[in-house]
Amino acid sequence: MNNVKHQIPAIIVLATFILGFCDCTVSQAQTAYSSNGGGAERIVDAQAQEPDQRTSVADLDISQLMNTKVTSVSKKEQKLSQVAAAIFVITQEEIRRSGATSIPDLLRMVPGLDVAQINASSWAISARGFNHQFSDKMLVLIDGRAVYTPLFGGVYWDTQDVVLEDIDRIEVIRGPGATVWGANAVNGVINIITMKAKDTQGGLVTAGGGTQELASAVTQYGGNIGRDATYRVFGKGFDQNHFPDLSGENANDSWNLLHGGFRVDDNITQKDSLTFQGDIYRGWEGSEFGHIVSFVPPVNGNIDGGADLAGGNVLGRWNHIFSSRSDTTLQVYFDRFEREGPESREYRNTIDFDFQHHMALGARHDFIWGGDYRRTSDHTVGTIDQAWLPPDRALQLFSFFAQDEIALKPDRLFLTVGTKVENNYFSGFDVEPSARVAWTPTKRDTLWAAVSRADRSPSRRNTDADINVAVFPGPGGTPADLLLLGNPHERSEHVIAYEAGYRAQPTGSISLDIALFFNTYSDLATTESGTPFVVGPPPDRLVLPLVWANKMHGTTDGIEVFANWKLARRWTLSPSYSMLQMHLHTDSTSQDTTTVPDTEGSSPRHQAQLRSHVDLPGSLVWEANAYFVERLPAQVVPSYTRLDTELTRRIGEKTTLSLVGQNLLHDHHLESNDALTSLNPSQVKRSAYAKLVWRFQ
């Protein structure tokens, strides 16, 4: 790989500067906190009262379901019965059963989440509309590390390669989470949480292969360092086959990646714990993309290209307990990645400092506050297709948040209010408040409602990009160039979201989760026509500029329904349905005639799924998942139904063998054909593979 630095920098900066002056809820080892009774109450025997997070939600009884712990809504542990948000948890057991080979495929099981595969290595993932290759209204975190790139505004899913066997759970919030997580947590938050090193002791070896994932393997070992510290180290690799393009030919989008990493957890003292983890990766992926061959004469063409991928990160987290009612957490991470091709190059360094203090105030208040500083710098190398001006830029972000959970009626009624104040990279300070209320009239029922405000800050694509979209013959035979220009005055997009929900377990065999939402958006991004101009020297060409602006507004509304139905002791069905309506409009001064229909028509109005889990005799487990996605009119993508299945047999106590089939109903189908994507789409094809997992001490 040209111009790639082979050493990935590492940094851990830990500072102790906070003085405990209040009491706070604590979470360490098997101790958790919950606003019960008259306030923040310590729960010591968590194992007897709370479910194992690695157990499938479908297998929980009533008390376990309502006591399931989640952390993504308030940056602290909460019972599901007290959470006033639309949240879905993918547990470790469900990950093992899924047959998925990547995080995007795992996310298909989340009700209301739109997961569309673009080609063999790229996905568009969003909640509640606005789905594109870089979905800029969805924030994604891995162990507290944001993986959102400010160049395009979105996530490079091809390099988020977590060992699936190490994931403890994935918490997915549908709806704003900006009060605690900040900008870009507009329509949702995906929080991927890996297991502690103590939970992955011993050895792990996996090996698999098939028609699409040609080969994959994981080697991992965990052990002890002294009496109080545990560790794990791993290596992983895979080689993915290509998909067919829209004409059925080879799309040349094969993909491979090598990935290694470690984690160390150490209880330094009875009141101090430290986590230190990191990983490094390197790979390559192919793609087919539209390319401007020349301006004069005007020639567009599709070419096959590739991208070299490299990167790594290190993260340190220190938790200190002041008392049984007060603790603090300081997290620092450094991330570097390099992407060379196919249309431009990006080299990025990011360092982030995050501090939070969690305390119990009096008998009824559970309070958390904190601040964050992030600095990200990039170096870009442009091509004839796209470039950034300036090519190098350093960006800084400062934020502060505070949130209070108030027990209005112990065990029954909870009010959570808070706000985040944040200066984004480009458009100054934004305020992102929220108010949430949860009412638990019985142990079987929770009703909740919320109103919140969130912002999507501009990306460098909006402010600094110089993108040549296409060339064609102009008036009088003069070559014409359609050029998309960044706007340095681009503002943040805003949403005010109104949500309500009901979760319950009306009988011992059925659980139900319903969420309703109504969102009002303002200052949404549009592309406006600029004044044409001619550039020389001869031969001249006519430039037709499009400039980013904020001249779209509108509303979205919908419903998301999810249920678990335990038909028998060994058979569970999990159906879900979601409906989305989008009503967007441009301002009276806008000349943009394409963004509204493209945005409205790029997210499915209806989605449904049915997942079945059966425990068969002979240590066999059969999982079958069917997903229906309605057509995307703006992308000319027809509706489709996808069927995945997995049959797993346990061989002894340490070994399992799985046979997996994906996309079984059709030889191939199209999921995304977005005009705004930087890649030519390909078709997801039918595939099968086998996987062997061996654990040892």
Side-chain angles (χ1 to χ4, degrees), residues 434-453:
S434 68
R436 301 177 181 273
V437 62
W439 177 41
T440 308
T442 72
K443 293 183 178 180
R444 294 175 178 261
D445 304 273
T446 297
L447 292 97
W448 62 269
V451 58
S452 51
R453 184 181 190 270

Side-chain angles (χ1 to χ4, degrees), residues 561-577:
V561 182
F562 169 73
N564 271 316
W565 180 18
K566 205 169 187 65
L567 283 81
R569 185 172 62 89
R570 294 177 175 267
W571 185 17
T572 302
L573 286 178
S574 301
S576 73
Y577 167 76

Side-chain angles (χ1 to χ4, degrees), residues 14-288:
L14 294 177
T16 59
F17 59 87
I18 203 73
L19 180 65
F21 60 94
C22 295
D23 295 333
C24 175
T25 308
V26 181
S27 175
Q28 186 186 40
Q30 293 185 352
T31 302
Y33 293 86
S34 173
S35 295
N36 285 332
E41 175 183 342
R42 188 172 183 176
I43 302 173
V44 178
D45 189 9
Q47 186 175 2
Q49 303 182 39
E50 300 169 10
D52 187 339
Q53 293 284 11
R54 283 166 284 178
T55 302
S56 171
V57 173
D59 296 333
L60 302 179
D61 61 28
I62 296 170
S63 60
Q64 287 179 317
L65 180 67
M66 291 304 186
N67 286 321
T68 298
K69 294 289 188 179
V70 294
T71 59
S72 298
V73 177
S74 297
K75 275 194 173 181
K76 63 185 180 69
E77 284 193 341
Q78 291 178 286
K79 290 182 180 180
L80 193 61
S81 61
Q82 297 171 6
V83 172
I87 187 169
F88 185 88
V89 181
I90 305 174
T91 69
Q92 215 288 320
E93 178 65 15
E94 287 170 320
I95 294 171
R96 184 186 65 80
R97 296 173 177 177
S98 68
T101 59
S102 66
I103 289 174
D105 276 347
L106 279 175
L107 295 173
R108 292 182 188 274
M109 71 176 69
V110 180
L113 203 65
D114 181 13
V115 179
Q117 189 162 5
I118 301 170
N119 67 6
S121 60
S122 301
W123 286 262
I125 301 176
S126 186
R128 299 179 177 179
F130 302 92
N131 199 18
H132 297 287
Q133 178 188 5
F134 296 103
S135 297
D136 52 20
K137 298 174 182 59
M138 174 70 70
L139 188 67
V140 180
L141 305 131
I142 299 178
D143 285 332
R145 175 175 57 88
V147 294
Y148 185 100
T149 172
L151 188 71
F152 288 100
V155 176
Y156 294 119
W157 285 105
D158 49 7
T159 55
Q160 311 314 320
D161 180 44
V162 182
V163 176
L164 299 187
E165 286 80 9
D166 288 343
I167 298 176
D168 182 61
R169 64 192 186 277
I170 302 176
E171 298 180 2
V172 181
I173 301 171
R174 306 180 309 280
T179 297
V180 295
W181 297 111
N184 309 315
V186 175
N187 284 357
V189 177
I190 298 172
N191 192 9
I192 301 163
I193 303 167
T194 63
M195 288 188 282
K196 295 180 179 180
K198 71 175 183 179
D199 297 322
T200 55
Q201 298 293 280
L204 168 70
V205 175
T206 76
T211 60
Q212 177 58 32
E213 185 162 276
L214 300 176
S216 66
V218 174
T219 302
Q220 178 173 288
Y221 189 80
N224 296 312
I225 304 174
R227 185 179 64 179
D228 299 319
T230 54
Y231 73 91
R232 69 167 173 262
V233 293
F234 74 88
K236 178 183 180 183
F238 64 79
D239 184 16
Q240 291 271 357
N241 203 355
H242 64 83
F243 280 171
D245 62 17
L246 298 185
S247 63
E249 303 298 325
N250 185 347
N252 296 299
D253 56 353
S254 58
W255 173 37
N256 60 71
L257 200 72
L258 292 175
H259 182 197
F262 69 94
R263 174 165 176 159
V264 177
D265 294 303
D266 189 2
N267 294 325
I268 303 172
T269 69
Q270 290 185 343
K271 294 187 175 183
D272 294 275
S273 61
L274 179 68
T275 294
F276 181 41
Q277 64 187 70
D279 62 347
I280 187 172
Y281 64 84
R282 189 162 188 162
W284 180 90
E285 65 187 24
S287 63
E288 186 181 79

Side-chain angles (χ1 to χ4, degrees), residues 317-336:
R317 185 184 305 111
W318 170 54
N319 176 259
H320 177 72
I321 299 173
F322 292 108
S323 70
S324 63
R325 293 165 61 87
S326 175
D327 79 305
T328 60
T329 300
L330 176 65
Q331 176 180 281
V332 182
Y333 70 80
F334 176 82
D335 182 280
R336 176 178 174 82

